[in-house]
Amino acid sequence: MKKYLAIFSLLVISNVQAQQGPKLVVGIVVDQMKMEYLYRFQNDFSENGFKRLMNNGYVFQNMHYNYMPTYTAPGHASIYTGTTPSMHGIVGNEWYHRTLKKEVYCTDDESVTTLVPGTEKEGKMSPKNLQSSTITDELKLATNFKGKVIGISIKDRGAILPAGHFADWAFWFCKTGDFISSSFYGPKLPSWVQDFNNEKNYLPYINNGWNLLKPIDTYNESLSDVNPYEGKLYKNEPNFPYNLKDMLNKNDPGIIRTTPFGNNLLADFAIKAIENEALGKDAITDFLALSFSSTDYVGHTFGPRSIEIQDTYLRLDQTIADFLAYLDKNVGKNNYLVFLTADHAGAENVTYLKDNKYQVVNINRKDVENDLKAFSKTTFGEDLILNYDSFNVYFDKEIINKKGIDFTKIKQTFKEFLYTKEYVKRVYTEEEILTSSGKDTLLDFVAKGYDPTQNGELYFVYKPAYIEYSATGTSHGSPYTYDTHVPLLFYGWHVNKGETYDKKVITQIAPTVAQMLKITLPNSTESSVLLEVLDK
């Protein structure tokens, strides 16, 4: 009898040790989500979505990005690596690469093939450009590759970068209406993904159209339905209801991206992934990285004060409530850990600010490039600009060397010229960036987003509120709080209820999750952690 009791005790102890971590970690990134939205729209949220996470989890009220440019790909990479673009190498969504002397896209990979015929351009993707390991990579290593990792998003970069280098799968949506992947992850799509695609699950959402979820007077936190600050949705005037079926007939299934229903479709697909990949079904921790992209598409098109963006968040609130209820039932209330954050926030519409007496204008990218080239020809008799891209000025060194012009003088001359522009706040040379001392806040943001093998020899920062975008909708990318201030909510396994208003930075998420799971930190992380959710 004693022998059997001893064996039983060992089994119990072994089982407890095996379940020291959650069965499932769910990382949720909401694309272009301002922290403000949690409060501006809170009276219209349900009790079981965002409010459940906030009221029963831990809320970081003052979470910020600590580099620029604040774009989607660098944001996802920074959340999951715990470091900034200067280290992980994802310096934009797409950028001119100084060393390669060509435009590159963050997840392009010519060595792989798509797994869905007809999606060659959208499917040749992998994480090869990501130079650092992710929290998901470290989980794979810590579990001897037994823990599953899957990344899912409407955007390829929102699925691939969080899933890391060792992921079992990353799936992203394409204009054919399919969720696709590449040969980097396997020789063919799992049968359940093929079945999901064959069912054309996007069609019911499109056929139902997009009307308001609630009565129109609910949306009093937004501007009127028809206002001059919104762009058109596939050439349709920006007012409800939207006939999505008609838009589909004139375009392709990709139209669902710029509606709230891209988020619904993503959640539907995520549930299928949990069921068919058996995520959270054993004692070995799995990781599901979800990125809700439709909020970004809607924000870019309609802007942060539109009824469209409010309706999108009210619907996302419902989607999150349903997803949490699903996790409760299928993984267990105390068996999963969730964190929710954003890859960046977003600026106010420039025209709206100007109409309300804020002296600011939107900037046309082509105008900036043309000004630089014209100045170069006037001053040096030659076009010395190789490329202008997202705050970066690249010079043609072959021409400069051939003409024997002092490169230091060239950079200083262009720097002085840029300072004559009303929209420029700061201009930095590569030498100033690489020797940043931390005394200049804006320079520190630039330095943390800068890779000397990829970025330009000159880098400038716009003044607050100026954005390089159209007169309608909005964009992001700056080091200012309207682009850096994002939510961070922790909920579930071993998370105590609470909140803090202390300033935190986005690179603290990955090392914190690593410490919670008791695994190795991502290899380039700055390793500063969020003690509030670690203290028991």
Side-chain angles (χ1 to χ4, degrees):
M1 177 62 75
K2 289 182 178 179
K3 176 181 178 182
Y4 291 119
L5 285 173
I7 293 172
F8 178 74
S9 298
L10 284 172
L11 288 172
V12 170
I13 292 169
S14 175
N15 188 52
V16 169
Q17 289 175 339
Q19 296 191 40
Q20 284 184 342
K23 289 186 175 182
L24 179 65
V25 179
V26 181
I28 298 175
V29 179
V30 183
D31 206 324
Q32 200 187 126
M33 185 175 185
K34 298 159 73 74
M35 181 66 185
E36 171 208 5
Y37 291 153
L38 287 175
Y39 294 101
R40 199 201 312 169
F41 306 144
Q42 66 177 332
N43 291 339
D44 304 317
F45 287 149
S46 70
E47 294 299 318
N48 301 313
F50 288 119
K51 283 185 180 178
R52 176 178 173 184
L53 297 177
M54 295 177 73
N55 293 337
N56 299 292
Y58 202 95
V59 184
F60 292 88
Q61 303 280 6
N62 200 16
M63 171 59 66
H64 289 266
Y65 277 84
N66 54 343
Y67 63 85
M68 71 174 293
T70 40
Y71 293 146
T72 294
H76 283 80
S78 298
I79 291 166
Y80 280 84
T81 62
T83 190
T84 60
S86 63
M87 292 297 292
H88 61 60
I90 305 299
V91 297
N93 294 333
E94 60 275 316
W95 62 94
Y96 184 83
H97 193 297
R98 185 205 295 195
T99 304
L100 300 178
K101 295 185 178 179
K102 68 175 185 177
E103 293 283 341
V104 300
Y105 179 69
C106 57
T107 52
D108 268 344
D109 188 347
E110 288 297 320
S111 71
V112 302
T113 58
T114 183
L115 300 185
V116 178
T119 64
E120 282 72 25
K121 185 177 180 180
E122 293 177 278
K124 299 182 75 170
M125 305 285 173
S126 85
K128 77 166 190 175
N129 294 324
L130 182 64
Q131 298 172 16
S132 302
S133 74
T134 60
I135 181 62
T136 46
D137 287 330
E138 299 303 338
L139 178 64
K140 293 293 290 186
L141 292 170
T143 60
N144 201 20
F145 286 78
K146 294 176 182 177
K148 281 193 173 182
V149 169
I150 295 179
I152 301 172
S153 179
I154 293 295
K155 296 180 179 180
D156 48 60
R157 53 191 181 269
I160 293 169
L161 298 172
H165 302 85
F166 305 139
D168 295 270
W169 284 103
F171 302 106
W172 55 97
F173 186 74
C174 75
K175 63 184 179 182
T176 63
D178 297 319
F179 278 93
I180 65 173
S181 193
S182 77
S183 58
F184 178 85
Y185 301 98
K188 65 178 183 178
L189 285 180
S191 58
W192 67 266
V193 180
Q194 297 178 44
D195 291 342
F196 188 92
N197 289 338
N198 291 336
E199 291 166 2
K200 298 189 183 303
N201 288 280
Y202 61 86
L203 271 178
Y205 293 115
I206 288 177
N207 289 338
N208 288 334
W210 182 11
N211 207 341
L212 293 174
L213 177 67
K214 298 189 176 186
I216 186 69
D217 57 6
T218 303
Y219 299 82
N220 56 358
E221 294 86 3
S222 302
L223 299 177
S224 61
D225 187 21
V226 180
N227 67 72
Y229 313 113
E230 303 173 293
K232 293 182 179 181
L233 183 60
Y234 295 95
K235 299 182 180 180
N236 290 268
E237 292 300 322
N239 55 277
F240 287 96
Y242 290 97
N243 186 334
L244 302 181
K245 197 171 181 180
D246 182 60
M247 292 183 206
L248 174 63
N249 292 335
K250 296 175 182 177
N251 298 278
D252 58 58
I255 67 162
I256 199 172
R257 294 171 172 138
T258 316
T259 76
F261 310 115
N263 294 332
N264 292 86
L265 186 67
L266 186 82
D268 295 341
F269 187 78
I271 286 172
K272 291 294 184 182
I274 293 171
E275 292 173 351
N276 289 278
E277 298 292 335
L279 300 182
K281 293 299 182 183
D282 57 29
I284 301 173
T285 300
D286 298 319
F287 203 120
L288 178 63
L290 294 180
S291 178
F292 289 103
S293 308
S294 288
T295 43
D296 185 66
Y297 288 107
V298 174
H300 274 296
T301 302
F302 299 103
R305 300 286 165 182
S306 64
I307 286 181
E308 284 82 357
I309 199 69
Q310 183 170 357
D311 195 65
T312 298
Y313 275 95
L314 297 190
R315 291 178 182 275
L316 180 58
D317 178 65
Q318 283 195 338
T319 300
I320 289 174
D322 292 342
F323 189 68
L324 293 174
Y326 174 84
L327 293 177
D328 289 344
K329 182 178 179 181
N330 292 275
V331 181
K333 281 190 175 182
N334 299 315
N335 293 328
Y336 64 89
L337 169 67
V338 172
F339 68 82
L340 183 149
T341 188
D343 55 349
H344 52 76
E348 293 286 353
N349 174 266
V350 170
T351 312
Y352 177 64
L353 293 179
K354 186 168 62 174
D355 286 350
N356 285 279
K357 301 182 181 180
Y358 193 134
Q359 296 304 305
V360 64
V361 296
N362 63 296
I363 303 158
N364 185 301
R365 179 205 171 279
K366 200 65 184 174
D367 289 344
V368 177
E369 183 177 24
N370 289 339
D371 281 353
L372 287 167
K373 288 178 176 292
F375 173 76
S376 182
K377 290 177 181 178
T378 300
T379 308
F380 296 99
E382 193 93 45
D383 182 4
L384 303 179
I385 304 299
L386 187 62
N387 196 281
Y388 165 68
D389 181 57
S390 295
F391 319 111
N392 290 267
V393 181
Y394 300 81
F395 291 94
D396 193 326
K397 291 185 179 178
E398 288 186 12
I399 294 178
I400 292 170
N401 291 336
K402 186 177 179 181
K403 292 182 75 70
I405 310 173
D406 182 359
F407 194 24
T408 301
K409 179 183 177 182
I410 290 172
K411 285 184 284 189
Q412 183 61 34
T413 303
F414 273 91
K415 182 175 180 178
E416 292 170 1
F417 167 70
L418 283 167
Y419 270 126
T420 68
K421 298 296 180 180
E422 67 165 334
Y423 51 77
V424 170
K425 182 66 176 178
R426 292 282 192 278
V427 187
Y428 302 109
T429 64
E430 59 181 321
E431 292 82 5
E432 290 170 320
I433 295 168
L434 295 175
T435 56
S436 170
S437 63
K439 294 179 180 179
D440 181 334
T441 302
L442 290 180
L443 178 55
D444 192 42
F445 270 82
V446 171
K448 287 183 176 180
Y450 186 88
D451 182 341
T453 68
Q454 301 188 80
N455 288 100
E457 293 89 0
L458 212 60
Y459 197 109
F460 64 89
V461 182
Y462 292 129
K463 290 178 181 176
Y466 285 80
I467 57 174
E468 195 174 274
Y469 203 63
S470 65
T472 58
T474 194
S475 193
H476 47 85
S478 81
Y480 302 116
T481 53
Y482 51 78
D483 282 339
T484 67
H485 189 195
V486 296
L488 176 60
L489 314 174
F490 270 85
Y491 174 85
W493 181 82
H494 285 200
V495 176
N496 295 321
K497 176 181 176 180
E499 65 178 345
T500 179
Y501 287 86
D502 291 343
K503 184 179 179 181
K504 309 293 181 179
V505 292
I506 207 74
T507 49
Q508 293 179 279
I509 295 175
T512 299
V513 174
Q515 296 282 23
M516 294 178 81
L517 300 181
K518 303 293 191 293
I519 63 176
T520 302
L521 301 173
N523 60 18
S524 299
T525 182
E526 297 171 10
S527 70
S528 174
V529 298
L530 302 166
L531 294 174
E532 293 84 352
V533 290
L534 292 174
D535 291 338
K536 295 295 184 288

